[in-house]
PDB file of all heavy atoms in Angstrom:
ATOM      1  N   GLY A 699     -60.443   5.268  -5.163  1.00 96.00           N
ATOM      2  CA  GLY A 699     -60.649   5.764  -6.523  1.00 96.00           C
ATOM      3  C   GLY A 699     -61.629   6.911  -6.611  1.00 96.00           C
ATOM      4  O   GLY A 699     -61.933   7.418  -7.698  1.00 96.00           O
ATOM      5  N   VAL A 700     -62.116   7.377  -5.453  1.00 96.00           N
ATOM      6  CA  VAL A 700     -63.127   8.435  -5.403  1.00 96.00           C
ATOM      7  C   VAL A 700     -62.463   9.798  -5.543  1.00 96.00           C
ATOM      8  O   VAL A 700     -61.358  10.028  -5.061  1.00 96.00           O
ATOM      9  CB  VAL A 700     -63.917   8.337  -4.073  1.00 96.00           C
ATOM     10  CG1 VAL A 700     -64.783   9.562  -3.844  1.00 96.00           C
ATOM     11  CG2 VAL A 700     -64.753   7.071  -4.056  1.00 96.00           C
ATOM     12  N   MET A 701     -63.165  10.732  -6.188  1.00 98.00           N
ATOM     13  CA  MET A 701     -62.729  12.123  -6.272  1.00 98.00           C
ATOM     14  C   MET A 701     -63.299  12.892  -5.079  1.00 98.00           C
ATOM     15  O   MET A 701     -64.478  12.747  -4.742  1.00 98.00           O
ATOM     16  CB  MET A 701     -63.225  12.765  -7.560  1.00 98.00           C
ATOM     17  CG  MET A 701     -62.681  12.144  -8.829  1.00 98.00           C
ATOM     18  SD  MET A 701     -60.939  12.512  -9.114  1.00 98.00           S
ATOM     19  CE  MET A 701     -61.012  14.273  -9.476  1.00 98.00           C
ATOM     20  N   ALA A 702     -62.436  13.711  -4.440  1.00 98.00           N
ATOM     21  CA  ALA A 702     -62.880  14.502  -3.285  1.00 98.00           C
ATOM     22  C   ALA A 702     -61.915  15.668  -3.112  1.00 98.00           C
ATOM     23  O   ALA A 702     -60.812  15.677  -3.672  1.00 98.00           O
ATOM     24  CB  ALA A 702     -62.925  13.638  -2.025  1.00 98.00           C
ATOM     25  N   PRO A 703     -62.301  16.700  -2.336  1.00 98.00           N
ATOM     26  CA  PRO A 703     -61.414  17.854  -2.143  1.00 98.00           C
ATOM     27  C   PRO A 703     -60.145  17.475  -1.383  1.00 98.00           C
ATOM     28  O   PRO A 703     -60.100  16.492  -0.636  1.00 98.00           O
ATOM     29  CB  PRO A 703     -62.267  18.819  -1.310  1.00 98.00           C
ATOM     30  CG  PRO A 703     -63.675  18.384  -1.502  1.00 98.00           C
ATOM     31  CD  PRO A 703     -63.614  16.910  -1.715  1.00 98.00           C
ATOM     32  N   VAL A 704     -59.107  18.296  -1.546  1.00 98.00           N
ATOM     33  CA  VAL A 704     -57.848  18.114  -0.826  1.00 98.00           C
ATOM     34  C   VAL A 704     -58.050  18.307   0.666  1.00 98.00           C
ATOM     35  O   VAL A 704     -57.560  17.529   1.488  1.00 98.00           O
ATOM     36  CB  VAL A 704     -56.786  19.103  -1.359  1.00 98.00           C
ATOM     37  CG1 VAL A 704     -55.538  19.094  -0.472  1.00 98.00           C
ATOM     38  CG2 VAL A 704     -56.425  18.772  -2.804  1.00 98.00           C
ATOM     39  N   LYS A 705     -58.782  19.342   1.034  1.00 98.00           N
ATOM     40  CA  LYS A 705     -58.946  19.664   2.466  1.00 98.00           C
ATOM     41  C   LYS A 705     -60.287  20.351   2.677  1.00 98.00           C
ATOM     42  O   LYS A 705     -60.584  21.339   2.017  1.00 98.00           O
ATOM     43  CB  LYS A 705     -57.795  20.579   2.916  1.00 98.00           C
ATOM     44  CG  LYS A 705     -57.965  21.248   4.285  1.00 98.00           C
ATOM     45  CD  LYS A 705     -57.872  20.264   5.433  1.00 98.00           C
ATOM     46  CE  LYS A 705     -57.899  20.959   6.772  1.00 98.00           C
ATOM     47  NZ  LYS A 705     -59.189  21.595   7.065  1.00 98.00           N
ATOM     48  N   ARG A 706     -61.067  19.818   3.610  1.00 98.00           N
ATOM     49  CA  ARG A 706     -62.331  20.446   3.977  1.00 98.00           C
ATOM     50  C   ARG A 706     -62.168  21.236   5.278  1.00 98.00           C
ATOM     51  O   ARG A 706     -61.317  20.915   6.103  1.00 98.00           O
ATOM     52  CB  ARG A 706     -63.417  19.383   4.145  1.00 98.00           C
ATOM     53  CG  ARG A 706     -63.914  18.838   2.800  1.00 98.00           C
ATOM     54  CD  ARG A 706     -64.976  17.784   2.999  1.00 98.00           C
ATOM     55  NE  ARG A 706     -64.489  16.474   2.578  1.00 98.00           N
ATOM     56  CZ  ARG A 706     -65.197  15.352   2.709  1.00 98.00           C
ATOM     57  NH1 ARG A 706     -66.398  15.394   3.249  1.00 98.00           N
ATOM     58  NH2 ARG A 706     -64.702  14.201   2.316  1.00 98.00           N
ATOM     59  N   ARG A 707     -62.981  22.254   5.430  1.00 97.00           N
ATOM     60  CA  ARG A 707     -62.906  23.106   6.621  1.00 97.00           C
ATOM     61  C   ARG A 707     -63.383  22.356   7.874  1.00 97.00           C
ATOM     62  O   ARG A 707     -64.229  21.479   7.803  1.00 97.00           O
ATOM     63  CB  ARG A 707     -63.767  24.356   6.408  1.00 97.00           C
ATOM     64  CG  ARG A 707     -63.437  25.497   7.371  1.00 97.00           C
ATOM     65  CD  ARG A 707     -64.403  26.666   7.196  1.00 97.00           C
ATOM     66  NE  ARG A 707     -64.492  27.159   5.829  1.00 97.00           N
ATOM     67  CZ  ARG A 707     -63.627  28.016   5.276  1.00 97.00           C
ATOM     68  NH1 ARG A 707     -62.614  28.472   5.977  1.00 97.00           N
ATOM     69  NH2 ARG A 707     -63.801  28.421   4.022  1.00 97.00           N
ATOM     70  N   ASN A 708     -62.786  22.720   8.990  1.00 98.00           N
ATOM     71  CA  ASN A 708     -63.181  22.210  10.313  1.00 98.00           C
ATOM     72  C   ASN A 708     -62.922  20.721  10.498  1.00 98.00           C
ATOM     73  O   ASN A 708     -63.593  20.053  11.290  1.00 98.00           O
ATOM     74  CB  ASN A 708     -64.651  22.531  10.628  1.00 98.00           C
ATOM     75  CG  ASN A 708     -64.877  24.024  10.826  1.00 98.00           C
ATOM     76  OD1 ASN A 708     -63.917  24.778  11.041  1.00 98.00           O
ATOM     77  ND2 ASN A 708     -66.124  24.456  10.751  1.00 98.00           N
ATOM     78  N   VAL A 709     -61.968  20.206   9.766  1.00 98.00           N
ATOM     79  CA  VAL A 709     -61.449  18.864  10.044  1.00 98.00           C
ATOM     80  C   VAL A 709     -59.924  18.962  10.098  1.00 98.00           C
ATOM     81  O   VAL A 709     -59.311  19.748   9.369  1.00 98.00           O
ATOM     82  CB  VAL A 709     -61.884  17.814   9.000  1.00 98.00           C
ATOM     83  CG1 VAL A 709     -63.380  17.588   9.047  1.00 98.00           C
ATOM     84  CG2 VAL A 709     -61.448  18.212   7.592  1.00 98.00           C
ATOM     85  N   ILE A 710     -59.336  18.158  10.970  1.00 98.00           N
ATOM     86  CA  ILE A 710     -57.884  18.176  11.130  1.00 98.00           C
ATOM     87  C   ILE A 710     -57.238  17.600   9.866  1.00 98.00           C
ATOM     88  O   ILE A 710     -57.655  16.538   9.380  1.00 98.00           O
ATOM     89  CB  ILE A 710     -57.478  17.336  12.362  1.00 98.00           C
ATOM     90  CG1 ILE A 710     -58.097  17.920  13.633  1.00 98.00           C
ATOM     91  CG2 ILE A 710     -55.967  17.246  12.496  1.00 98.00           C
ATOM     92  CD1 ILE A 710     -57.594  19.274  14.036  1.00 98.00           C
ATOM     93  N   PRO A 711     -56.223  18.256   9.312  1.00 98.00           N
ATOM     94  CA  PRO A 711     -55.540  17.683   8.152  1.00 98.00           C
ATOM     95  C   PRO A 711     -54.714  16.474   8.555  1.00 98.00           C
ATOM     96  O   PRO A 711     -54.296  16.348   9.712  1.00 98.00           O
ATOM     97  CB  PRO A 711     -54.638  18.821   7.673  1.00 98.00           C
ATOM     98  CG  PRO A 711     -54.373  19.630   8.900  1.00 98.00           C
ATOM     99  CD  PRO A 711     -55.635  19.539   9.725  1.00 98.00           C
ATOM    100  N   HIS A 712     -54.487  15.591   7.613  1.00 98.00           N
ATOM    101  CA  HIS A 712     -53.623  14.438   7.870  1.00 98.00           C
ATOM    102  C   HIS A 712     -52.192  14.874   8.112  1.00 98.00           C
ATOM    103  O   HIS A 712     -51.519  14.381   9.022  1.00 98.00           O
ATOM    104  CB  HIS A 712     -53.679  13.481   6.674  1.00 98.00           C
ATOM    105  CG  HIS A 712     -52.704  12.350   6.748  1.00 98.00           C
ATOM    106  ND1 HIS A 712     -51.402  12.457   6.284  1.00 98.00           N
ATOM    107  CD2 HIS A 712     -52.831  11.086   7.249  1.00 98.00           C
ATOM    108  CE1 HIS A 712     -50.774  11.302   6.490  1.00 98.00           C
ATOM    109  NE2 HIS A 712     -51.627  10.455   7.066  1.00 98.00           N
ATOM    110  N   ASP A 713     -51.727  15.826   7.306  1.00 98.00           N
ATOM    111  CA  ASP A 713     -50.339  16.286   7.401  1.00 98.00           C
ATOM    112  C   ASP A 713     -50.277  17.727   6.936  1.00 98.00           C
ATOM    113  O   ASP A 713     -51.235  18.267   6.385  1.00 98.00           O
ATOM    114  CB  ASP A 713     -49.409  15.403   6.561  1.00 98.00           C
ATOM    115  CG  ASP A 713     -49.797  15.395   5.079  1.00 98.00           C
ATOM    116  OD1 ASP A 713     -49.394  16.320   4.350  1.00 98.00           O
ATOM    117  OD2 ASP A 713     -50.534  14.474   4.662  1.00 98.00           O
ATOM    118  N   ILE A 714     -49.149  18.341   7.125  1.00 98.00           N
ATOM    119  CA  ILE A 714     -48.993  19.762   6.817  1.00 98.00           C
ATOM    120  C   ILE A 714     -48.311  19.975   5.473  1.00 98.00           C
ATOM    121  O   ILE A 714     -48.091  21.096   5.050  1.00 98.00           O
ATOM    122  CB  ILE A 714     -48.258  20.473   7.971  1.00 98.00           C
ATOM    123  CG1 ILE A 714     -48.879  21.831   8.264  1.00 98.00           C
ATOM    124  CG2 ILE A 714     -46.763  20.572   7.723  1.00 98.00           C
ATOM    125  CD1 ILE A 714     -50.204  21.725   8.958  1.00 98.00           C
ATOM    126  N   GLY A 715     -47.986  18.849   4.771  1.00 98.00           N
ATOM    127  CA  GLY A 715     -47.456  18.976   3.426  1.00 98.00           C
ATOM    128  C   GLY A 715     -46.151  18.230   3.202  1.00 98.00           C
ATOM    129  O   GLY A 715     -45.537  17.705   4.132  1.00 98.00           O
ATOM    130  N   ASP A 716     -45.741  18.206   1.941  1.00 98.00           N
ATOM    131  CA  ASP A 716     -44.561  17.474   1.461  1.00 98.00           C
ATOM    132  C   ASP A 716     -43.415  18.459   1.267  1.00 98.00           C
ATOM    133  O   ASP A 716     -43.585  19.477   0.589  1.00 98.00           O
ATOM    134  CB  ASP A 716     -44.928  16.796   0.135  1.00 98.00           C
ATOM    135  CG  ASP A 716     -43.770  16.058  -0.519  1.00 98.00           C
ATOM    136  OD1 ASP A 716     -42.638  16.098  -0.009  1.00 98.00           O
ATOM    137  OD2 ASP A 716     -44.009  15.429  -1.577  1.00 98.00           O
ATOM    138  N   PRO A 717     -42.213  18.187   1.827  1.00 98.00           N
ATOM    139  CA  PRO A 717     -41.093  19.112   1.613  1.00 98.00           C
ATOM    140  C   PRO A 717     -40.667  19.236   0.158  1.00 98.00           C
ATOM    141  O   PRO A 717     -39.986  20.199  -0.205  1.00 98.00           O
ATOM    142  CB  PRO A 717     -39.964  18.522   2.466  1.00 98.00           C
ATOM    143  CG  PRO A 717     -40.347  17.091   2.678  1.00 98.00           C
ATOM    144  CD  PRO A 717     -41.842  17.072   2.704  1.00 98.00           C
ATOM    145  N   ASP A 718     -41.082  18.295  -0.680  1.00 97.00           N
ATOM    146  CA  ASP A 718     -40.773  18.415  -2.100  1.00 97.00           C
ATOM    147  C   ASP A 718     -41.820  19.250  -2.833  1.00 97.00           C
ATOM    148  O   ASP A 718     -41.752  19.421  -4.043  1.00 97.00           O
ATOM    149  CB  ASP A 718     -40.678  17.025  -2.744  1.00 97.00           C
ATOM    150  CG  ASP A 718     -39.856  17.040  -4.022  1.00 97.00           C
ATOM    151  OD1 ASP A 718     -38.964  17.899  -4.144  1.00 97.00           O
ATOM    152  OD2 ASP A 718     -40.108  16.196  -4.896  1.00 97.00           O
ATOM    153  N   ASP A 719     -42.782  19.793  -2.067  1.00 97.00           N
ATOM    154  CA  ASP A 719     -43.797  20.675  -2.631  1.00 97.00           C
ATOM    155  C   ASP A 719     -43.716  22.026  -1.899  1.00 97.00           C
ATOM    156  O   ASP A 719     -42.693  22.695  -1.979  1.00 97.00           O
ATOM    157  CB  ASP A 719     -45.183  20.022  -2.506  1.00 97.00           C
ATOM    158  CG  ASP A 719     -46.286  20.850  -3.146  1.00 97.00           C
ATOM    159  OD1 ASP A 719     -46.019  21.548  -4.149  1.00 97.00           O
ATOM    160  OD2 ASP A 719     -47.416  20.815  -2.633  1.00 97.00           O
ATOM    161  N   GLU A 720     -44.758  22.421  -1.205  1.00 97.00           N
ATOM    162  CA  GLU A 720     -44.772  23.690  -0.465  1.00 97.00           C
ATOM    163  C   GLU A 720     -45.564  23.492   0.816  1.00 97.00           C
ATOM    164  O   GLU A 720     -46.739  23.859   0.906  1.00 97.00           O
ATOM    165  CB  GLU A 720     -45.391  24.805  -1.320  1.00 97.00           C
ATOM    166  CG  GLU A 720     -45.004  26.199  -0.894  1.00 97.00           C
ATOM    167  CD  GLU A 720     -43.525  26.490  -1.085  1.00 97.00           C
ATOM    168  OE1 GLU A 720     -43.061  26.527  -2.235  1.00 97.00           O
ATOM    169  OE2 GLU A 720     -42.838  26.675  -0.059  1.00 97.00           O
ATOM    170  N   PRO A 721     -44.933  22.852   1.832  1.00 98.00           N
ATOM    171  CA  PRO A 721     -45.663  22.571   3.072  1.00 98.00           C
ATOM    172  C   PRO A 721     -46.149  23.846   3.750  1.00 98.00           C
ATOM    173  O   PRO A 721     -45.618  24.927   3.534  1.00 98.00           O
ATOM    174  CB  PRO A 721     -44.613  21.845   3.932  1.00 98.00           C
ATOM    175  CG  PRO A 721     -43.292  22.201   3.337  1.00 98.00           C
ATOM    176  CD  PRO A 721     -43.528  22.435   1.882  1.00 98.00           C
ATOM    177  N   TRP A 722     -47.163  23.691   4.564  1.00 97.00           N
ATOM    178  CA  TRP A 722     -47.908  24.757   5.241  1.00 97.00           C
ATOM    179  C   TRP A 722     -48.825  25.509   4.273  1.00 97.00           C
ATOM    180  O   TRP A 722     -49.947  25.808   4.625  1.00 97.00           O
ATOM    181  CB  TRP A 722     -46.977  25.735   5.985  1.00 97.00           C
ATOM    182  CG  TRP A 722     -46.462  25.161   7.262  1.00 97.00           C
ATOM    183  CD1 TRP A 722     -47.143  25.068   8.452  1.00 97.00           C
ATOM    184  CD2 TRP A 722     -45.187  24.570   7.486  1.00 97.00           C
ATOM    185  NE1 TRP A 722     -46.352  24.444   9.397  1.00 97.00           N
ATOM    186  CE2 TRP A 722     -45.146  24.136   8.835  1.00 97.00           C
ATOM    187  CE3 TRP A 722     -44.066  24.365   6.685  1.00 97.00           C
ATOM    188  CZ2 TRP A 722     -44.047  23.523   9.392  1.00 97.00           C
ATOM    189  CZ3 TRP A 722     -42.966  23.741   7.234  1.00 97.00           C
ATOM    190  CH2 TRP A 722     -42.961  23.329   8.569  1.00 97.00           C
ATOM    191  N   LEU A 723     -48.361  25.763   3.059  1.00 97.00           N
ATOM    192  CA  LEU A 723     -49.247  26.391   2.075  1.00 97.00           C
ATOM    193  C   LEU A 723     -50.161  25.360   1.424  1.00 97.00           C
ATOM    194  O   LEU A 723     -51.319  25.642   1.126  1.00 97.00           O
ATOM    195  CB  LEU A 723     -48.429  27.116   1.002  1.00 97.00           C
ATOM    196  CG  LEU A 723     -47.644  28.345   1.465  1.00 97.00           C
ATOM    197  CD1 LEU A 723     -46.918  28.980   0.287  1.00 97.00           C
ATOM    198  CD2 LEU A 723     -48.572  29.371   2.118  1.00 97.00           C
ATOM    199  N   ARG A 724     -49.638  24.171   1.157  1.00 98.00           N
ATOM    200  CA  ARG A 724     -50.437  23.084   0.578  1.00 98.00           C
ATOM    201  C   ARG A 724     -50.339  21.870   1.494  1.00 98.00           C
ATOM    202  O   ARG A 724     -49.299  21.200   1.526  1.00 98.00           O
ATOM    203  CB  ARG A 724     -49.963  22.754  -0.841  1.00 98.00           C
ATOM    204  CG  ARG A 724     -50.384  23.793  -1.857  1.00 98.00           C
ATOM    205  CD  ARG A 724     -50.167  23.313  -3.283  1.00 98.00           C
ATOM    206  NE  ARG A 724     -48.772  23.308  -3.688  1.00 98.00           N
ATOM    207  CZ  ARG A 724     -48.119  24.384  -4.155  1.00 98.00           C
ATOM    208  NH1 ARG A 724     -48.742  25.550  -4.259  1.00 98.00           N
ATOM    209  NH2 ARG A 724     -46.862  24.298  -4.517  1.00 98.00           N
ATOM    210  N   VAL A 725     -51.417  21.614   2.218  1.00 98.00           N
ATOM    211  CA  VAL A 725     -51.421  20.527   3.200  1.00 98.00           C
ATOM    212  C   VAL A 725     -51.981  19.259   2.558  1.00 98.00           C
ATOM    213  O   VAL A 725     -52.413  19.263   1.412  1.00 98.00           O
ATOM    214  CB  VAL A 725     -52.248  20.914   4.454  1.00 98.00           C
ATOM    215  CG1 VAL A 725     -51.715  22.195   5.068  1.00 98.00           C
ATOM    216  CG2 VAL A 725     -53.739  21.054   4.114  1.00 98.00           C
TER     217      VAL A 725
END
Side-chain angles (χ1 to χ4, degrees):
V700 169
M701 297 288 291
V704 171
K705 168 70 174 67
R706 285 180 247 176
R707 198 185 306 278
N708 292 343
V709 294
I710 299 294
H712 173 273
D713 59 83
I714 221 73
D716 177 356
D718 202 28
D719 183 32
E720 202 66 66
W722 284 282
L723 293 182
R724 286 192 286 276
V725 303

